[in-house]
Amino acid sequence: MLLAGLCTVDVVQRVEELPAPGEKVQSLRVDVAAGGPATNAAVTAAALGAEATLLTVLGAHPLAALARADLESHGVHLIDLAPDLPDPPPVSAATVRDRDGERTVVSRNAAGATFIGKVPLLAADVVLLDGHYPELALAVARGAKAPVVLDAGSWKPVLDELLPLVDIAACSAHFRAPEPGLHERGVGTVITTAGPGPVRWSTADGGSGEVPVVSVEARDTLGAGDVWHGALAVAVTRERTVTDRIRFANEVAAERVRQVGPRSWTTAIAGRNRT
């Protein structure tokens, strides 16, 4: 499996209550891990037994070593397309409320970053893109010989060019695309998540439906959407129908939100439906 996109360094503070403006609070625990949509999806895929290769930009800054170590420890093969870049990688500051797993996130992501480099053509049974490095996303999608899954969290200018190359667009409830619709842009399957609500899907040939999510007590929602997308990409290689793929992703994401911390859930889902 090939995943291409953003890798951040996440600093996660768990608190009793989210602080109000100007307020200082003592955290219950602190975690540091690699983050970003494609990165968390890669960690998910590896935990599910897939061979996950992450194409991203990290660079040579000391902070990048934190992300590299986390990915290595979780079985993700990392290809850094700018290994000599001196700038620090994107850093994400997250705060998670202990009683219900609700979170706030402040991150610059790859804002203003320009990817310049040669993208290797790698064989894969499925490709997942998050679109955070537009040139990277386009290069990978154009060279893909396997189904291309897009994590469409928000509209990005690159999507005008990228969507015709996408087979499955998995959108958040907040995703809004200018006309024409995604099917009219060439996307075969469109899936829309809605937090605790049912996941809706439609296909270019007129099929549609929805799949309920698993009801669980949420302890930590940070990165749950990324985990869902990683599980969906794995399911593309293992399940034949859209509903079965969504059902699998729902189950894996439910296990993630049950667990406290950015990586504890990997043990809970390890090898699920391993092939």
Side-chain angles (χ1 to χ4, degrees):
M1 178 182 302
L2 180 62
L3 307 98
L6 183 67
C7 185
T8 67
V9 175
D10 287 1
V11 180
V12 185
Q13 303 266 7
R14 193 168 186 89
V15 298
E16 289 186 356
E17 291 294 339
L18 299 175
E23 182 182 10
K24 293 182 180 180
V25 298
Q26 182 78 22
S27 64
L28 302 174
R29 62 179 280 174
V30 180
D31 294 285
V32 178
T39 297
N40 284 327
V43 171
T44 303
L48 290 168
E51 294 184 5
T53 296
L54 175 66
L55 282 174
T56 190
V57 174
L58 266 178
H61 192 277
L63 282 176
L66 298 174
R68 284 195 177 88
D70 181 44
L71 294 172
E72 181 179 356
S73 69
H74 288 91
V76 175
H77 176 53
L78 171 67
I79 298 179
D80 187 353
L81 297 169
D84 300 322
L85 187 70
D87 301 331
V91 176
S92 177
T95 307
V96 180
R97 187 164 58 194
D98 187 57
R99 59 183 166 85
D100 59 0
E102 190 55 75
R103 81 285 188 270
T104 62
V105 180
V106 178
S107 179
R108 186 162 174 76
N109 293 335
T114 299
F115 166 75
I116 300 175
K118 184 176 181 180
V119 178
L121 295 178
L122 303 172
D125 50 5
V126 65
V127 173
L128 184 141
L129 309 171
D130 66 19
H132 276 280
Y133 292 102
E135 298 93 337
L136 172 59
L138 287 170
V140 171
R142 287 167 178 158
K145 306 298 182 185
V148 175
V149 179
L150 174 67
D151 175 349
S154 61
W155 178 261
K156 301 174 180 66
V158 69
L159 296 187
D160 278 322
E161 288 186 76
L162 188 59
L163 284 170
L165 306 171
V166 169
D167 299 289
I168 302 170
C171 310
S172 72
H174 303 292
F175 180 82
R176 297 291 183 271
E179 294 295 335
L182 300 193
H183 290 311
E184 289 74 17
R185 292 173 181 265
V187 180
T189 301
V190 176
I191 302 171
T192 303
T193 59
V199 178
R200 295 179 289 108
W201 62 270
S202 63
T203 56
D205 62 7
S208 64
E210 62 180 40
V211 181
V213 301
V214 182
S215 178
V216 298
E217 179 185 0
R219 296 299 317 283
D220 196 334
T221 60
L222 184 66
D226 304 339
V227 171
W228 189 93
H229 288 97
L232 176 71
V234 170
V236 168
T237 70
R238 301 181 182 180
E239 305 290 349
R240 296 185 60 184
T241 69
V242 177
T243 54
D244 284 342
R245 293 169 179 176
I246 294 172
R247 188 173 295 111
F248 179 80
N250 288 352
E251 291 171 355
V252 172
E255 194 59 58
R256 189 275 167 271
V257 302
R258 286 190 183 104
Q259 309 293 329
V260 172
R263 291 289 181 258
S264 58
W265 51 271
T266 59
T267 302
I269 69 167
R272 179 176 294 206
N273 286 7
R274 185 186 295 270
T275 58

